[in-house]
Amino acid sequence: MAFTLSVQTGSGRDIAKLEVSGDETVREVKKKLYASKKGPDPNRCRFTLLPPAGEKRGKVLDDDKTIGEYGLAQGSAVLFKDLGPQIGYSTVFFWEYFGPLVVYPLFFLFPRVLYPWHKEPVEHSLVQLAAVAYWSFHYTKRIVETFTVHRFGHATMPIFNLFKNCAYYWGFAAFVSYFVNHPMYTSPPDKQWQAALALAMVCQLSNLYCHIILSNLRAPGDKGYMIPRGFLFNYITCANYSAEIWGWALFSVATQCLPAGLFMLAGAGQMAVWAQAKHARLKKLFDGKEGRAKYPRRYGWKGPVNSALQGMILAAVGDVLAQYLTQGTTQPDEQPAAAGAASSAAFLGERYDPVRTLRLAGFGTWWGVMQWYWYNLLDHVQPSKSAVAIAKKVAANQLCLAPIGCFSVFAWMLWFAGRINELPAKLERDFLPTLVSCWAFWVPVASLNFRLVPLASQVGFMNSAGVLWNCYLSLAAADAAGDGLECACAVPHATPVAARA
């Protein structure tokens, strides 16, 4: 049955009255508005219902649903908004990915032009060659996925996004490439970059597989929400983002370049926001009520990201304090540094090792994420705060996680120091004493943590305790070894490390 639908601006002014029927789709109504010459191209239109009493915004109308599904009838009205000039999603994706594919290799291929002050011939290292190959593979994959894998929920986006996205991707490509391909770039140890890039490629392929899973969720033309299942989606809502972030984190480890790390953090921050919103939306849509499926227990992003940042920062702080307390800044008979000449070396001592701090911060980052999942698992298995439950959690913590942490940090630090062949001797000499010391410190700390600290704050509490433990262990090891250069390594939470390598 036909009826008259009023189309209004946000201020309530009528701009058109359209003759529609309940079985017409919202998209067809937009086309009618455009044909009446009272509205823009349908891709620029957004229709919403009038906001309910006490609310500021109404529900956005889906283009594929009918007018009747929204209960609109004679005398009803919808609010119209012009979204401005639009551009296709695939067009934006192509150009934002094509730029980095071109910009990054320029610094590798034309060092005489882009580093004009450097007169000597530039010989690129293998890691620089591998980095440009990895970068090119990633953005080639992105472009291919755009046209063969991705299915977009909307046909267009505001044209401003083209300039915003290109500025981000092209700018970071130049920023990262300038430093990675710099003539004075210092390559990390071969084993470090080879292992990191190999794992990064695994992440790239995992990201591709996740995108294929998402693409196959819906039949062609279907735009409804579905629950992704299979592979990493069985554990985390946005597994494609997880693989992407870990890939760039490993690229940063491989190149040992701060701009690469900043690029990873910027992308991770944005993806964390998107992932948390998607996680909340899927939980709301699939609530298990009125015949709807129940969204399975999966992890979002806020908790793991916060734990990673805490682990990174507190591990770095603990190592800096440990080195400072072990080495001292000046000897009693030395004079303070002259005014204006203060530096990190003057504050931390001439023997301060910033690379060790970066390596430990890297370990703290992924160990923080691991702790977050571990604590959630323990809370799921033993949600009670009774004495028996706490004892079980502490026992699981120290008998399962602590040995893994001891082994991991030994291997991590020796690997990046280029001395992984020393791991068996290191474990034979220090593993058991370190583990016993670990239990003496961490059993009471973990007991307090499980008894008094809320789940959301448990990783932060244990990381904070790890700062104190790191300082103590470094001082103790320095007394025994006679120097403090290689005595510091503490795993944030549960795993102290006597790193007298």
Side-chain angles (χ1 to χ4, degrees):
M1 180 178 176
F3 61 91
T4 301
L5 179 68
S6 177
V7 181
Q8 302 176 350
T9 64
S11 62
R13 178 177 62 85
D14 284 338
I15 61 172
K17 290 189 180 293
L18 304 174
E19 291 296 321
V20 301
S21 62
D23 58 357
E24 288 185 77
T25 65
V26 173
R27 182 179 289 105
E28 289 171 336
V29 175
K30 289 180 178 180
K31 291 179 179 179
K32 281 190 174 182
L33 179 65
Y34 177 66
S36 71
K37 299 183 179 180
K38 295 182 178 180
D41 182 274
N43 288 321
R44 293 177 54 164
C45 294
R46 186 179 72 188
F47 285 167
T48 59
L49 298 176
L50 298 178
E55 297 186 17
K56 295 182 178 180
R57 297 180 180 178
K59 184 176 182 179
V60 177
L61 275 60
D62 188 330
D63 283 356
D64 295 319
K65 291 188 176 181
T66 64
I67 294 296
E69 290 181 71
Y70 290 104
L72 297 172
Q74 182 66 36
S76 296
V78 293
L79 299 181
F80 157 81
K81 181 176 181 180
D82 184 351
L83 299 175
Q86 300 288 295
I87 188 171
Y89 262 78
S90 57
T91 302
V92 174
F93 277 33
F94 171 78
W95 286 110
E96 70 184 37
Y97 299 150
F98 179 74
L101 192 58
V102 173
V103 171
Y104 187 98
L106 292 178
F107 292 86
F108 180 86
L109 296 172
F110 305 106
R112 289 181 177 273
V113 177
L114 296 170
Y115 306 98
W117 48 267
H118 189 81
K119 304 302 182 183
E120 298 177 5
V122 177
E123 294 185 6
H124 290 297
S125 63
L126 283 177
V127 65
Q128 290 172 309
L129 177 62
V132 74
Y134 177 87
W135 186 281
S136 300
F137 171 82
H138 171 78
Y139 283 102
T140 300
K141 177 182 80 72
R142 284 279 192 96
I143 291 174
V144 172
E145 287 176 335
T146 297
F147 295 105
T148 63
V149 177
H150 291 322
R151 292 182 180 175
F152 302 107
H154 301 279
T156 64
M157 67 172 75
I159 197 169
F160 173 73
N161 287 3
L162 173 65
F163 303 101
K164 179 183 68 175
N165 293 8
C166 286
Y168 169 80
Y169 282 104
W170 296 29
F172 259 118
F175 181 46
V176 175
S177 186
Y178 176 84
F179 287 96
V180 173
N181 296 299
H182 198 281
M184 299 179 68
Y185 173 78
T186 302
S187 300
D190 287 346
K191 291 182 179 179
Q192 174 178 328
W193 70 260
Q194 290 167 1
L197 282 184
L199 291 173
M201 283 300 300
V202 173
C203 292
Q204 287 293 329
L205 297 176
S206 299
N207 174 260
L208 171 61
Y209 187 48
C210 288
H211 286 158
I212 293 173
I213 290 175
L214 291 175
S215 179
N216 292 334
L217 281 179
R218 309 177 187 88
D222 187 3
K223 296 183 179 180
Y225 286 102
M226 303 288 287
I227 299 176
R229 303 180 188 277
F231 193 44
L232 299 176
F233 286 109
N234 289 335
Y235 309 100
I236 191 166
T237 296
C238 294
N240 51 323
Y241 292 162
S242 300
E244 174 92 3
I245 292 170
W246 280 110
W248 286 117
L250 289 163
F251 178 84
S252 303
V253 171
T255 58
Q256 204 164 282
C257 183
L258 179 60
L262 294 176
F263 176 54
M264 182 274 294
L265 290 175
Q270 180 61 75
M271 283 186 274
V273 173
W274 292 336
Q276 197 64 26
K278 183 174 181 179
H279 184 71
R281 182 167 58 249
L282 289 175
K283 287 182 66 177
K284 182 178 179 180
L285 288 172
F286 299 100
D287 55 7
K289 300 176 181 178
E290 300 178 358
R292 292 185 293 269
K294 176 70 174 177
Y295 192 70
R297 180 187 175 101
R298 290 180 187 168
Y299 300 115
W301 258 92
K302 187 175 181 179
V305 168
N306 287 343
S307 297
L309 292 175
Q310 287 178 6
M312 176 183 66
I313 293 170
L314 293 175
V317 169
D319 186 66
V320 169
L321 289 175
Q323 292 196 53
Y324 172 71
L325 293 174
T326 301
Q327 299 172 30
T329 54
T330 59
Q331 298 298 323
D333 57 345
E334 291 178 339
Q335 296 298 320
S343 64
S344 60
F347 174 72
L348 296 169
E350 293 182 358
R351 300 171 71 191
Y352 170 66
D353 184 359
V355 173
R356 194 187 78 184
T357 300
L358 289 174
R359 289 170 179 165
L360 196 59
F363 182 86
T365 301
W366 73 265
W367 188 253
V369 176
M370 183 174 178
Q371 289 180 84
W372 188 87
Y373 288 112
W374 172 255
Y375 284 131
N376 275 272
L377 175 63
L378 288 182
D379 188 72
H380 178 71
V381 174
Q382 290 288 339
S384 171
K385 286 187 176 291
S386 67
V388 174
I390 291 173
K392 290 180 179 179
K393 288 182 180 180
V394 171
N397 222 35
Q398 301 307 316
L399 295 176
C400 298
L401 194 61
I404 293 173
C406 281
F407 175 84
S408 298
V409 78
F410 283 151
W412 177 274
M413 298 300 286
L414 287 173
W415 179 280
F416 287 119
R419 297 157 52 194
I420 192 63
N421 59 306
E422 299 177 20
L423 181 60
K426 176 70 175 172
L427 292 173
E428 182 179 357
R429 184 178 71 244
D430 290 334
F431 182 81
L432 187 58
T434 300
L435 194 59
V436 172
S437 299
C438 169
W439 291 337
F441 179 84
W442 287 105
V443 166
V445 173
S447 300
L448 289 174
N449 187 45
F450 290 127
R451 181 68 181 89
L452 301 176
V453 181
L455 177 62
S457 303
Q458 286 180 2
V459 173
F461 177 81
M462 296 296 270
N463 280 335
S464 299
V467 173
L468 300 177
W469 177 250
N470 191 29
C471 294
Y472 157 75
L473 200 64
S474 288
L475 291 171
D479 290 340
D483 72 66
L485 282 178
E486 294 183 352
C487 64
C489 296
V491 183
H493 152 108
T495 316
V497 180
R500 296 187 305 275

